[in-house]
Amino acid sequence: MSSPRELLTGWGNTAPSLAVVERPRSDSEVTSALQHDRVIARGLGRSYGDPAQCAGGTVVSNRGLWHLSPIDPDTGLITAGAGVSLDELLAVSIPAGFFVPVTPGTRQVTIGGAIAADIHGKNHHVEGSFMNHVTRLRLATPSGDLEVTPESDPALFWGTAGAMGLTGIVTEATIRLLPIETSWVSVDTERFENLDGVMDAMATGDHRYRYSVAWVDCMTSGPRLGRGVLTRGEHATADMLQGKAARSPLAPPGGTLLTVPITPPSGLLNRLSMSAFNEAWFRRAPKKADGELHSIGAFFHPLDGVAWWNRLHGHRGFLQYQFAVDDAHGDVVRRAIEVLSSERVPSFLAVLKRFGPGNPGPLSFPLEGWTLALDVPIGPPQLPSVLDRLDEMVAEAGGRLYLAKDSRLSPEMFATMYPRASELDAVRHRVDPDGILSSDLTRRIGLTPPA
Amino acid sequence: MQNAFGQPQSVLVLGGTSDIALAVVAKLAADRTKTVVLAGRNEERLAAAAATLKAAGATTVELVAMEASDPSSAAATVDAGIAAAGGSVDLVLIAVGLLGEQSTTEDDPSATIELFDVNLTWPAAALAALRTRLIAQGSGHVAVFSSVAGVRVRRANFSYGSTKAGLDAFTIGFADSVRSSGIKVQVIRPGFVHTKMTEGMKEIPFTTTAEVAADNIVKGLGSSAEVIWTPPILKAVFLVLRHLPAFAWRRMPG
């Protein structure tokens, strides 16, 4: 062993593995990092499970691939190194009057990671996922460096969307940003006593909003099953601001307020503390409020205020379960919450969202309909089999799990949920004939050989 | 690869005809374990075990020959086992062991040597071979069958008990040595279990079946416990027994 190796996990702090970590600072250094037997890229490690790990192999950090072009004021196009985080991009783009086209619940993800996971945000129902706004990317592959656009090589471009690094290491991307007048969001909030109310309101009214998300409580039962708070919004225009906000309409988002310095024992977050949190969250929300102004940070990235919040789940770690089903199978959302509630699985408020049509990527997660995501601490003995049951419900409904969140899916279930995965074979054979690109995730779900 | 719950996809059993180990693997095969490699001596028993595991959900069961009375062969058996698993393995169960007959072993130097070779030297050599291989593959989990007989050695089976005491201590030190590499190592301390090993012996308190032991062990494998006791109450029982005065301990029945 020539280089020292590091023990890596995803955001959920589960299933650690050792790998050599290379930190290239140029395209040529990326090329030499690809001269290993087994390689995968890693950004900021915000995937919950094991996609940015490569047991016994080489993990290539993209954080040294850091550069930003000026923003074209007419088209909103910007070219960024794959290691630039959305946080760093927004710090530059917001004062210039531009927002990222898609943001997940955290700004702490890299451009490379956003492409690998084909991330989605609260605007998927109208604007699609991240790759829908990428016009061009540079991909370092074992067969060489490639310039890829949706026109020049649609199979490789869309094959890269959501493929979790299996087609190569993204080194740079050009993205179309969204012009904004202010860094504020005009938000309508509504509270519902049960899941039906939430889902009705979303199905009938989400099309009127650019952003929409509901937080639902998976620990309630009976008539209050899946009670939730729906927040929907639109970028505020300059004429909506008053006072201090009006004097600096394009203030960048703030940094973190708190840091969790240590990992407390597992069990701190249990049924009792989590249901108390859910109760407080629900009570805090107004029954109905229209046109409240929220900062971009507060609206899009509520958890970014607490650095390393994942540590609160203790040394055993946690996972996130996120699935999508089409409109005809919206009942799976209710049935999943019923199972979680009756099996007494502790979980924070789950995120419920509407998805618009998916893009052509064979491994891209979103499909038109519903998506539900919830955080669960590792520990309850019934959890593995409860989630296996949910997998079956989701697969039977033609739905699927989000690979950026997964840490436990079986190869059989993956094959059922992603029947188009084999469409990637030809592309992978072209860019990676020896099959060196693989991660703990791809080995676990059977996308690459297990050993 | 192991998932977030520590459920393995491939398992290598060293001592592949152990009743308890097979009951454990059968349960794992009902979850994520599809590839199993059994290393053992008795071909007939191995073949029967393979059929049982396939019925339990394993898709691939490979058999590897091993000779536990020859510790110098341990490294080669480990290599053959990992190769048969496809080049890497998620979980290794070390379940090699002879019970021996105390009354004859205690007066027989060659029987004593054989007991120590099989129960202590072979497994320790296998662990030494596994150490670099697991660190090289970058992840892994090892569980070693010790016994409550090794927690405090008794007159009634001190030969067997002391081999387990040695292996138990070796494994705990081994576990600490690979902890920072992310390799999980656990000691399993079963009490008296009804198996072919204990056939015809008199039952003692807290006796269980292989099935019950396997349930406890599978639960323990998914936990971060350094020692898996089965039945779990033995942890508390031995907290007391360990500190009994010697005159009382000598009179323990069985």
Side-chain angles (χ1 to χ4, degrees):
Chain A
M1 275 160 273
S2 50
S3 327
R5 302 198 299 169
E6 295 177 30
L7 196 57
L8 301 172
T9 70
W11 190 240
N13 280 327
T14 53
S17 67
L18 275 178
V20 172
V21 180
E22 301 273 5
R23 296 185 166 79
R25 309 192 66 83
S26 64
D27 285 8
S28 65
E29 286 179 12
V30 175
T31 306
S32 42
L34 280 165
Q35 309 302 311
H36 290 97
D37 294 345
R38 185 179 278 165
V39 182
I40 201 71
R42 182 179 177 99
L44 281 163
R46 253 41 173 210
S47 282
Y48 281 65
D50 46 6
Q53 294 168 227
C54 187
T58 303
V59 167
V60 181
S61 166
N62 67 10
R63 286 291 277 157
L65 306 172
W66 208 105
H67 55 269
L68 278 175
S69 77
I71 302 169
D72 183 319
D74 299 324
T75 60
L77 290 174
I78 189 170
T79 295
V84 175
S85 72
L86 295 193
D87 188 49
E88 293 156 346
L89 178 57
L90 287 168
V92 172
S93 75
I94 290 177
F98 286 97
F99 194 58
V100 286
V102 168
T103 177
T106 172
R107 295 187 298 275
Q108 304 302 334
V109 300
T110 65
I111 300 291
I115 289 168
D118 193 17
I119 59 169
H120 56 268
K122 300 181 182 187
N123 59 345
H124 190 278
H125 60 292
V126 286
E127 291 172 315
S129 51
F130 198 80
M131 280 296 267
N132 296 60
H133 306 270
V134 174
T135 60
R136 167 196 158 270
L137 52 89
R138 285 183 60 78
L139 198 61
T141 76
S143 302
D145 286 3
L146 301 169
E147 176 92 16
V148 191
T149 70
E151 296 77 32
S152 71
D153 193 342
L156 182 53
F157 184 88
W158 292 112
T160 301
M164 307 309 288
L166 212 46
T167 60
I169 299 171
V170 177
T171 56
E172 179 184 284
T174 303
I175 303 147
R176 194 184 304 280
L177 299 176
L178 177 76
I180 51 174
E181 285 183 31
T182 75
S183 60
W184 296 85
V185 185
S186 169
V187 181
D188 293 354
T189 306
E190 217 173 329
R191 205 169 82 181
F192 297 89
E193 292 299 326
N194 60 49
L195 184 67
D196 289 342
V198 183
M199 290 181 76
D200 262 0
M202 294 176 84
T204 54
D206 269 11
H207 63 275
R208 296 198 307 269
Y209 296 86
R210 182 188 295 270
Y211 300 108
S212 166
V213 71
W215 297 81
V216 303
D217 190 342
C218 296
M219 293 178 71
T220 47
S221 57
R224 298 165 76 211
L225 181 100
R227 63 178 176 175
V229 178
L230 175 59
T231 58
R232 297 186 285 196
E234 177 61 66
H235 290 285
T237 50
D239 58 352
M240 292 178 178
L241 302 190
Q242 291 170 352
K244 200 173 150 212
R247 286 195 293 278
S248 58
L250 289 165
T256 57
L257 303 171
L258 290 170
T259 295
V260 180
I262 53 156
T263 304
S266 284
L268 185 68
L269 300 185
N270 51 33
R271 272 189 67 80
L272 198 66
S273 63
M274 291 170 97
S275 68
F277 174 89
N278 290 359
E279 178 72 28
W281 183 283
F282 187 75
R283 292 291 152 214
R284 202 194 67 160
K287 214 164 171 53
K288 189 162 179 13
D290 287 342
E292 287 184 321
L293 291 184
H294 293 201
S295 71
I296 276 177
F299 182 70
F300 291 104
H301 316 116
L303 285 170
D304 279 357
V306 184
W308 300 106
W309 61 264
N310 58 334
R311 289 177 177 160
L312 289 174
H313 282 282
H315 68 273
R316 282 198 297 253
F318 70 113
L319 59 81
Q320 186 170 95
Y321 191 82
Q322 180 169 7
F323 68 84
V325 287
D326 66 18
D327 273 317
H329 297 88
D331 64 302
V332 172
V333 173
R334 157 174 286 278
R335 284 164 53 212
I337 295 174
E338 279 169 358
V339 169
L340 292 163
S341 164
S342 69
E343 293 285 351
R344 303 179 65 77
V345 171
S347 69
F348 276 125
L349 295 161
V351 173
L352 179 65
K353 246 211 69 57
R354 303 266 312 144
F355 271 158
N359 66 30
L363 291 182
S364 178
F365 166 64
L367 60 87
E368 188 163 13
W370 299 95
T371 183
L372 183 75
L374 62 146
D375 285 355
V376 191
I378 304 284
Q382 75 277 29
L383 190 57
S385 61
V386 168
L387 296 184
D388 284 350
R389 267 169 67 197
L390 295 191
D391 287 351
E392 275 171 34
M393 274 167 47
V394 170
E396 218 167 90
R400 55 202 182 214
L401 260 58
Y402 188 15
L403 296 184
K405 306 290 179 67
D406 175 57
S407 58
R408 41 152 302 279
L409 197 61
S410 70
E412 297 75 23
M413 273 295 161
F414 167 74
T416 312
M417 292 178 176
Y418 285 90
R420 292 178 57 211
S422 60
E423 290 177 30
L424 222 59
D425 292 351
V427 167
R428 285 169 60 197
H429 187 70
R430 174 154 59 93
V431 298
D432 182 21
D434 299 325
I436 71 157
L437 295 166
S438 74
S439 64
D440 290 2
L441 168 88
T442 64
R443 292 166 69 188
R444 176 170 56 78
I445 63 176
L447 257 174
T448 56
Chain B
M1 301 303 302
Q2 290 181 58
N3 64 16
F5 297 119
Q7 292 172 319
Q9 291 181 309
S10 57
V11 178
L12 165 62
V13 187
L14 300 172
T17 57
S18 150
D19 289 341
I20 307 179
L22 287 173
V24 168
V25 180
K27 288 185 191 299
L28 295 174
D31 286 326
R32 292 290 190 271
T33 303
K34 297 299 149 202
T35 302
V36 181
V37 180
L38 301 176
R41 184 164 57 177
N42 187 321
E43 285 175 25
E44 210 173 300
R45 280 215 194 116
L46 285 177
T52 309
L53 293 176
K54 281 190 176 158
T59 51
T60 308
V61 183
E62 300 285 342
L63 306 180
V64 168
M66 70 175 266
E67 184 46 70
S69 59
D70 175 13
S72 68
S73 70
T77 306
V78 165
D79 278 340
I82 292 177
S88 72
V89 67
D90 296 337
L91 170 65
V92 181
L93 290 177
I94 300 187
V96 193
L98 290 175
L99 191 53
E101 179 64 52
Q102 186 60 41
S103 56
T104 53
T105 310
E106 62 194 30
D107 294 324
D108 182 344
S110 60
T112 300
I113 289 170
E114 194 197 6
L115 195 67
F116 272 74
D117 277 349
V118 171
N119 288 8
L120 175 56
T121 313
W122 196 98
L127 283 169
L130 280 166
R131 199 173 179 284
T132 47
R133 287 160 182 80
L134 293 182
I135 291 174
Q137 75 177 27
S139 68
H141 181 184
V142 183
V144 179
F145 280 84
S146 171
S147 165
V148 292
V151 176
R152 187 172 182 187
V153 175
R154 285 188 304 145
R155 164 69 188 96
N157 62 359
F158 71 86
S159 297
Y160 173 79
S162 55
T163 62
K164 290 298 187 183
L167 181 60
D168 196 298
F170 185 92
T171 304
I172 284 173
F174 179 87
D176 289 341
S177 82
V178 292
R179 198 182 171 82
S180 63
S181 302
I183 312 293
K184 177 161 131 181
V185 180
Q186 294 174 301
V187 171
I188 303 168
R189 288 186 194 147
F192 191 99
V193 183
H194 276 300
T195 63
K196 64 177 185 294
M197 187 194 252
T198 56
E199 219 174 299
M201 286 177 60
K202 203 173 71 183
E203 272 190 29
I204 57 172
F206 309 112
T207 293
T208 59
T209 61
E211 196 60 24
V212 171
D215 269 332
N216 292 327
I217 292 167
V218 168
K219 209 175 286 173
L221 291 173
S223 77
S224 53
E226 285 157 34
V227 178
I228 301 168
W229 297 81
T230 171
I233 190 168
L234 288 177
K235 182 180 182 179
V237 170
F238 271 85
L239 198 64
V240 177
L241 291 185
R242 230 193 285 240
H243 297 101
L244 275 189
F247 72 86
W249 181 248
R250 271 195 294 275
R251 290 187 193 133
M252 285 290 288

